[in-house]
Amino acid sequence: MSTDYRQMWADMGLDLEAHDALLGVLGQGYGDIYMAQKNRPEGMAYFDFVMSEVHGLRIQELLDEKKAGRKIIGSYCVFVPEEIALAANATLVGLCSGADFAMEEVEKLLPRNTCALIKSAFGFKLGKVCPYLESADMIVGENTCDGKKKAYESLGSLIENLYVMDLPQVKSAQGRELLKAEYIRFKEAVENLTGVTITAESLSAAIETVNAKRKAMHRLALLRKADPAPISGLDALLANQVFFYDNPARFTASVNKICDEVEQRIAAQEGVFAGKTPRILISGCPQAVPNWKLPMIVEGSGAVIVGEESCVGERGTRNLTDNSGKTIDEMIEALVDRYFQVDCAIFTPNKERIDHIKEMAKLYKADGVIHYGLQFCQPYLMEAIPVEKALEDIGLPCLRIETDYSMEDMGQLKTRVEAFIEQIS
Amino acid sequence: MLFGGIDIGSRSIELVVIDENGEQVQSLKADTGFDPMSEADKMIESTRFDQIMATGYGRNLFEVSFDAPTVTEIKAHATAAFHLHNDSYTILDIGGQDSKAIALYETGKIKKFEMNDRCAAGTGKFLEIMAKNLGFSIEDFGDQALLAEKEINISSMCTVFAESEVTSLIGRGESPREIAKGLHDSVVRRAAGMINRVSSGGKIVFTGGVAKNSCMVKMLEKRLEREIVIPENPQFMGALGAALLCRAANTEKS
Ligand code: SF4
Ligand code: SF4
């Protein structure tokens, strides 16, 4: 990344020294983990570029958008509908929370036994190292797990433009009503922020844009059925991660381009790994940038990841929004229908998730499932047990792991993952 | 041809050499020390084999230094246990630094495993520290515990908390043997929990250094109501498994 951005970062109030350190670690990690891979699709060069400019060009673009009057909204959860932001002439970016930062400061505000994702969200704010967070005109929190719910109360003291969305916990008629009411409230808040009134046209166009983005991800996901695997799990995860903050139209075009290339590879029987490489489905907590720990271990131990049942993955991108509505009301209903199907572990009961895991394992011909749980994440760690049971009932091996962002347990994790790969191969 | 298996643990290194029939021809053991690779090198120098496979936490270091294939401890222990006792499908390994429970299919293939490797609780290290605190040698810690006349419950599984619990029990005048038994019980509870998560019946092969502890074996048997078999050299099972897998890889090739 060129040094031209230093002024921009300083103007945004970033702590330049800490920020340099973060970029250093990020660049090094990306080089070691991503650039060291063999036989990658050429189209991945786009993502290499995006990552190298993740705090540079993309931020410059956002600042330019701001200058032109657009608003930037940051979010921490796939329940925050990008369609509504886009329709009101705002840009939605997912805030990553995939690395530990300023942990000592964080632990002044949060108990130690808080999941790494939440701690990271605080760390990036307290450490003043996230240009997305600093450029956002509104940050949306949501009442999902208890950890996040309570954490937003404290985060509110650090971020003055925090908006908290309430979410249901049960997939009932009342639950759906709540989600709908909250989406309408969010629509009004966004309209207030941007001064732009959402119209049927703008909402329909926004739905179209986001559908196209999800469709491209569906296409990529389905191509991963092939053996030999035409794209690594690391690269597919990266696409899922970049999904959250890239320009939607450009992202869609880039993913589709990779899909074209991947289709040719499949036709030519080419892969990133040899045919018959053990295939693993990952299921569980989101893996946000730059959390590449598990896929790095898995794919460095002789297996390939063929799908992610995760919010940074298929749980987040599954299902399109029906765009046949004519009025704003109809479209909001369609949005609620789409989002209400997200099977996050904060819902109870949440049987759909188990069905989806089984479906995905079958579709992508997984030989085993690794359940990825972040330490202290009660919802997913609790669900891990029935998930394992359900998979065992259909004869599919499952490995439950519980970890965080630190590198301390790398050795142990590697042994576990390697033993699991020996078990399924 | 001779096949070697080396198990590089964080506390000790074991090396086993077998012949083409799987018969053990040699076995060695050494402390890991500060420089495991030079220790391993010395051991290799004093043995004779044609090929070797490594396991244990230091296997990757060995792979790089000696260009040898590797296998995880899980598969190595499972292989050795099934080789010696092909009518048991559950394995419990309690080593110095970690513990694991493995369930097998009747073919010997791994069905499921559980591992505790994040802290010393429930491992040989825990027993060692506690034996020292109570003034017993690790060799007769188990035998002494078996002589206890009443039950004491040690509630802490964590080494640090258990240590202070032991101190206060001593202060209260409890007998060291009874405290010892309570400590064994806490390791047994943990091990039983792990076993129950992977399998619910049948014989159990108990491997690792802790399998030599008579009290552990008796209490486990009682708690689980399952038969426990102990291989002749329980600490060499990882190395034996690696040697067997080395032999298997070789026969596959030819
Ligand atoms: S896991 Fe749940 S809380 Fe987290 S991003 Fe997904 S839907 Fe939101
Ligand atoms: S990983 Fe779990 S605990 Fe952490 S924010 Fe997500 S749902 Fe909450």
Side-chain angles (χ1 to χ4, degrees):
Chain A
M1 207 180 298
S2 67
T3 44
D4 299 347
Y5 297 118
R6 294 189 74 83
Q7 192 55 48
M8 170 179 90
W9 294 328
D11 292 346
M12 302 178 83
L14 294 190
D15 176 340
L16 285 185
E17 213 172 297
H19 184 251
D20 282 348
L22 175 70
L23 285 189
V25 174
L26 191 67
Q28 163 103 41
Y30 194 80
D32 292 350
I33 299 169
Y34 275 89
M35 304 312 276
Q37 295 184 90
K38 297 198 183 81
N39 311 324
R40 301 170 78 202
E42 275 168 31
M44 283 310 295
Y46 171 72
F47 288 103
D48 294 338
F49 177 70
V50 168
M51 282 310 292
S52 71
E53 289 289 343
V54 64
H55 281 196
L57 200 56
R58 181 68 186 133
I59 297 300
Q60 185 71 63
E61 281 179 356
L62 292 180
L63 293 179
D64 290 346
E65 285 182 12
K66 273 168 79 107
K67 248 183 244 149
R70 260 182 102 88
K71 298 289 179 191
I72 312 295
I73 301 176
S75 113
Y76 291 107
C77 174
V78 300
F79 267 102
V80 179
E82 183 175 9
E83 293 87 343
I84 290 180
L86 289 177
N89 204 17
T91 296
L92 189 86
V93 289
L95 299 166
C96 25
S97 323
D100 289 336
F101 215 84
M103 283 300 258
E104 271 170 41
E105 290 302 308
V106 172
E107 285 180 4
K108 285 183 195 158
L109 293 173
L110 295 173
R112 287 196 68 120
N113 55 351
T114 305
C115 90
L117 214 103
I118 298 176
K119 279 190 187 159
S120 171
F122 274 60
F124 278 82
K125 179 65 206 173
L126 291 164
K128 300 205 194 75
V129 288
C130 178
Y132 291 89
L133 200 55
E134 301 308 325
S135 63
D137 300 288
M138 176 187 200
I139 303 281
V140 187
E142 32 26 76
N143 293 341
T144 43
C145 65
D146 283 354
K148 273 185 161 186
K149 229 168 11 196
K150 299 308 285 184
Y152 290 127
E153 292 175 14
S154 312
L155 195 64
S157 63
L158 307 174
I159 298 177
E160 74 248 31
N161 48 11
L162 183 74
Y163 172 97
V164 179
M165 178 182 282
D166 196 18
L167 286 182
Q169 302 195 349
V170 181
K171 301 269 173 92
S172 59
Q174 294 93 316
R176 193 184 174 286
E177 276 313 300
L178 171 61
L179 188 65
K180 187 178 159 195
E182 281 298 293
Y183 280 4
I184 292 171
R185 188 170 72 91
F186 179 59
K187 171 179 165 287
E188 283 158 9
V190 175
E191 285 174 331
N192 266 335
L193 177 76
T194 59
V196 174
T197 307
I198 293 178
T199 62
E201 289 70 38
S202 73
L203 189 52
S204 171
I207 291 175
E208 200 46 51
T209 302
V210 181
N211 273 351
K213 182 159 102 156
R214 293 201 180 107
K215 236 188 262 169
M217 290 313 287
H218 298 170
R219 188 178 162 208
L220 183 65
L222 286 177
L223 294 173
R224 293 167 78 190
K225 287 196 307 197
D227 182 35
I231 184 167
S232 69
L234 272 166
D235 279 338
L237 174 63
L238 185 66
N240 274 297
Q241 291 172 331
V242 171
F243 179 94
F244 288 92
Y245 55 85
D246 199 9
N247 170 288
R250 187 175 57 206
F251 175 85
T252 306
S254 306
V255 172
N256 277 319
K257 210 173 117 213
I258 291 178
C259 291
D260 294 340
E261 188 187 343
V262 166
E263 275 167 4
Q264 288 171 7
R265 289 188 147 209
I266 296 173
Q269 296 264 328
E270 275 171 37
V272 272
F273 298 102
K276 304 267 176 291
T277 295
R279 302 162 70 84
I280 288 178
L281 176 75
I282 304 285
S283 167
C285 292
Q287 301 174 87
V289 172
N291 175 13
W292 302 307
K293 187 173 161 182
L294 180 62
M296 170 181 83
I297 295 176
V298 171
E299 297 197 332
S301 304
V304 57
I305 294 171
V306 293
E308 297 77 26
E309 190 281 321
S310 158
C311 277
V312 184
E314 231 167 291
R315 190 186 318 123
T317 55
R318 188 182 289 126
N319 300 321
L320 301 177
T321 306
D322 173 18
N323 201 7
S324 63
K326 294 284 166 276
T327 64
I328 293 183
D329 265 359
E330 285 168 353
M331 286 182 236
I332 295 276
E333 291 288 350
L335 281 171
V336 172
D337 281 338
R338 190 257 157 209
Y339 283 92
F340 203 46
Q341 292 179 66
V342 174
D343 47 359
C344 171
I346 63 126
F347 282 93
T348 180
N350 193 31
K351 196 184 155 293
E352 296 84 351
R353 178 164 168 243
I354 293 185
D355 296 339
H356 277 136
I357 298 171
K358 289 201 260 186
E359 246 168 55
M360 285 179 73
K362 194 161 163 232
L363 183 62
Y364 303 122
K365 305 186 201 95
D367 300 304
V369 176
I370 296 185
H371 191 281
Y372 174 76
L374 281 174
Q375 216 180 359
F376 311 123
C377 167
Q378 222 174 25
Y380 282 94
L381 292 176
M382 287 233 180
E383 275 194 8
I385 296 170
V387 164
E388 178 182 47
K389 171 92 185 32
L391 291 172
E392 275 172 2
D393 287 348
I394 57 164
L396 205 61
C398 174
L399 175 72
R400 282 188 281 133
I401 62 163
E402 194 181 323
T403 184
D404 56 19
Y405 295 164
S406 76
M407 291 296 146
E408 278 159 31
D409 61 348
M410 281 294 280
Q412 291 106 318
L413 270 188
K414 205 161 155 27
T415 298
R416 251 170 238 233
V417 168
E418 280 180 15
F420 186 63
I421 295 169
E422 289 168 352
Q423 178 188 340
I424 62 174
S425 39
Chain B
M1 262 181 111
L2 294 175
F3 305 99
I6 187 163
D7 181 355
I8 304 162
S10 53
R11 324 220 23 234
S12 63
I13 304 179
E14 290 87 21
L15 196 156
V16 164
V17 179
I18 58 170
D19 63 17
E20 283 174 12
N21 301 320
E23 293 302 326
Q24 188 164 314
V25 296
Q26 199 179 3
S27 70
L28 317 173
K29 187 169 189 286
D31 284 340
T32 305
F34 296 106
D35 184 359
M37 287 309 111
S38 71
E39 218 33 79
D41 198 29
K42 270 190 240 154
M43 294 171 83
I44 288 175
E45 287 303 313
S46 63
T47 41
R48 203 169 60 78
F49 53 79
D50 299 290
Q51 273 168 24
I52 191 162
M53 191 180 275
T55 188
Y57 108 106
R59 66 187 180 285
N60 297 115
L61 275 177
F62 191 86
E63 180 179 18
V64 176
S65 309
F66 299 92
D67 190 26
T70 62
V71 64
T72 63
E73 300 90 291
I74 317 262
K75 185 156 180 189
H77 277 268
T79 305
F82 193 69
H83 175 74
L84 298 177
H85 304 277
N86 64 5
D87 58 344
S88 2
Y89 311 109
T90 310
I91 297 137
L92 172 68
D93 171 65
I94 307 187
Q97 217 54 301
D98 64 14
S99 52
K100 42 194 163 287
I102 310 166
L104 305 180
Y105 289 107
E106 287 182 14
T107 55
K109 208 174 149 23
I110 294 171
K111 190 172 172 185
K112 198 175 170 180
F113 65 88
E114 281 276 336
M115 221 176 154
N116 157 41
D117 48 16
R118 277 216 131 175
C119 71
T123 69
K125 180 88 193 159
F126 176 85
L127 289 172
E128 220 171 274
I129 293 173
M130 298 305 159
K132 208 180 201 167
N133 278 348
L134 289 168
F136 294 118
S137 77
I138 186 68
E139 286 74 24
D140 69 5
F141 194 34
D143 294 338
Q144 291 294 330
L146 278 178
L147 298 174
E149 278 158 15
K150 73 170 195 209
E151 306 277 319
I152 289 184
N153 182 41
I154 309 271
S155 51
S156 315
M157 297 247 190
C158 163
T159 316
V160 179
F161 290 125
E163 259 187 313
S164 60
E165 208 173 327
V166 164
T167 311
S168 74
L169 286 169
I170 296 174
R172 251 174 37 201
E174 298 289 356
S175 105
R177 279 178 185 161
E178 272 138 23
I179 301 175
K181 178 135 187 243
L183 288 164
H184 279 77
D185 187 54
S186 98
V187 179
V188 164
R189 269 183 282 150
R190 219 175 153 111
M194 238 177 7
I195 290 271
N196 286 335
R197 278 196 294 278
V198 302
S199 103
S200 56
K203 264 197 254 180
I204 299 167
V205 183
F206 190 2
T207 70
V210 175
K212 294 207 291 191
N213 178 315
S214 54
C215 183
M216 279 296 298
V217 180
K218 288 230 168 69
M219 290 178 81
L220 260 175
E221 244 167 351
K222 195 163 153 228
R223 185 169 192 104
L224 292 166
E225 294 179 349
R226 291 167 71 171
E227 187 188 337
I228 292 181
V229 289
I230 320 268
E232 208 176 310
N233 289 307
Q235 331 85 288
F236 283 92
M237 295 296 273
L240 174 63
L244 288 164
L245 286 162
C246 182
R247 182 183 68 140
N250 202 267
T251 23
E252 250 168 52
K253 257 188 269 158
S254 53

